[in-house]
Amino acid sequence: MRIVSRRVSAWIGACHPLPVVAVTAVTAGLAIAVGHTPGGTLLVTAAVLAGQLSVGWLNDLVDADRDARVGRTDKPVARGLVSRRAVTVATVLAAGVATVLSLAAGLLAAAAHLIALASAWAYDLGVKSTRWSVAPYAVSFGLLPTFVVLALPGAPWPPWWLPAAGALLGCAAHFLNVLPDLADDAAVGVRGLPHRWGAPVSRVTAGVLVLAASALLVVGPAGPDGVPGGARIAVLPVAALVVGVGLARGRRPGSRAAFNAVLVVAVTAMGLLLTAGPSAVTRG
């Protein structure tokens, strides 16, 4: 049993579990917010879960040699706890499942999700080392809510502010996610945009992006009079506080507090959309 437990833990660790769980949970919340049936919610959530697993496993697979060179003890593939062949097969299978489930949600929805996945895979396969490293995050996180809305009956287009908020949150997550690994990345030649701008500028940029996304999610679902509800307005200072604390704690070496703060704000955003109701989220 202990051997099985270690293997399961290794597989979970190799998929980047925190982002996988966060993105999947946000997808489920968004699906409920836009009015999906339980079956529709399960379909889009399962499609995103499969896609995120493929992205996470591919990331560990591609980075295995670099992670081994810098002695990353938190990377199961680099440590040999999971074979590269097995992870390759799992990545392909997860991508295939994501494709089939996406197609079941409709052609337009599938196109949005598969472009988002292709963008995420492009990041893993080399874009992460360029000055354009933030672009896949903007594309993939902007298309995620688009996929969920297009999967509704009739394939309605999402309002502009929804994918815009997703793109902003995605960009913020990128700037913060790489900060704990700047030194290790530099040692193996990875120089994305946050590496070029440096930690202080990246932190400030991420904070601005998160607050801008929060503002869109407050103002976007406003009622017919254009005035956001009081509860939603109150979220802005709370989001600012969470991000501020996260950025402050994230200055410590190796800390992922800032990245976790973005995840908290993203989950809170789903609460905003749930209170707004499906009509506010799906009107263009």
Side-chain angles (χ1 to χ4, degrees):
M1 287 298 294
R2 185 174 300 177
I3 294 176
V4 173
S5 177
R6 283 202 298 265
R7 288 181 177 176
V8 171
S9 297
W11 275 101
I12 293 174
C15 78
H16 296 231
L18 184 56
V20 168
V21 171
V23 172
T24 304
V26 166
T27 300
L30 180 58
I32 295 170
V34 303
H36 272 286
T37 64
T41 298
L42 180 61
L43 177 63
V44 297
T45 302
V48 169
L49 172 59
Q52 288 300 300
L53 287 173
S54 76
V55 172
W57 283 327
L58 178 62
N59 184 285
D60 254 31
L61 185 63
V62 171
D63 287 350
D65 288 334
R66 288 193 291 255
D67 291 336
R69 286 203 299 272
V70 297
R72 291 288 297 270
T73 60
D74 59 333
K75 297 292 187 176
V77 179
R79 293 177 60 194
L81 300 178
V82 183
S83 77
R84 300 189 188 193
R85 179 180 175 82
V87 175
T88 300
V89 172
T91 300
V92 173
L93 288 176
V97 171
T99 300
V100 171
L101 293 176
S102 298
L103 288 170
L107 290 179
L108 284 176
H113 190 215
L114 294 180
I115 292 172
L117 284 180
S119 173
W121 297 331
Y123 175 84
D124 286 347
L125 293 171
V127 177
K128 66 187 298 179
S129 299
T130 73
R131 66 178 69 251
W132 303 103
S133 62
V134 72
Y137 276 79
V139 172
S140 296
F141 280 83
L143 285 174
L144 177 62
T146 303
F147 163 62
V148 174
V149 175
L150 284 174
L152 287 167
W157 287 101
W160 68 269
W161 51 264
L162 189 56
L168 290 172
L169 284 173
C171 292
H174 172 56
F175 278 106
L176 296 176
N177 189 40
V178 302
L179 291 184
D181 304 324
L182 287 181
D184 287 345
D185 288 344
V188 293
V190 175
R191 293 193 68 241
L193 189 61
H195 306 80
R196 298 164 193 262
W197 283 6
V201 174
S202 293
R203 287 193 189 93
V204 172
T205 300
V208 171
L209 291 170
V210 172
L211 295 181
S214 301
L216 281 179
L217 292 170
V218 166
V219 176
D225 57 359
V227 179
R232 293 204 301 276
I233 294 177
V235 169
L236 281 178
V238 174
L241 177 62
V242 171
V243 172
V245 171
L247 291 178
R249 294 176 63 86
R251 298 181 67 179
R252 295 180 298 182
S255 173
R256 295 194 178 274
F259 179 70
N260 293 341
V262 172
L263 296 183
V264 170
V265 172
V267 172
T268 302
M270 291 306 100
L272 293 179
L273 298 180
L274 285 169
T275 63
S279 62
V281 182
T282 56
R283 65 170 182 264

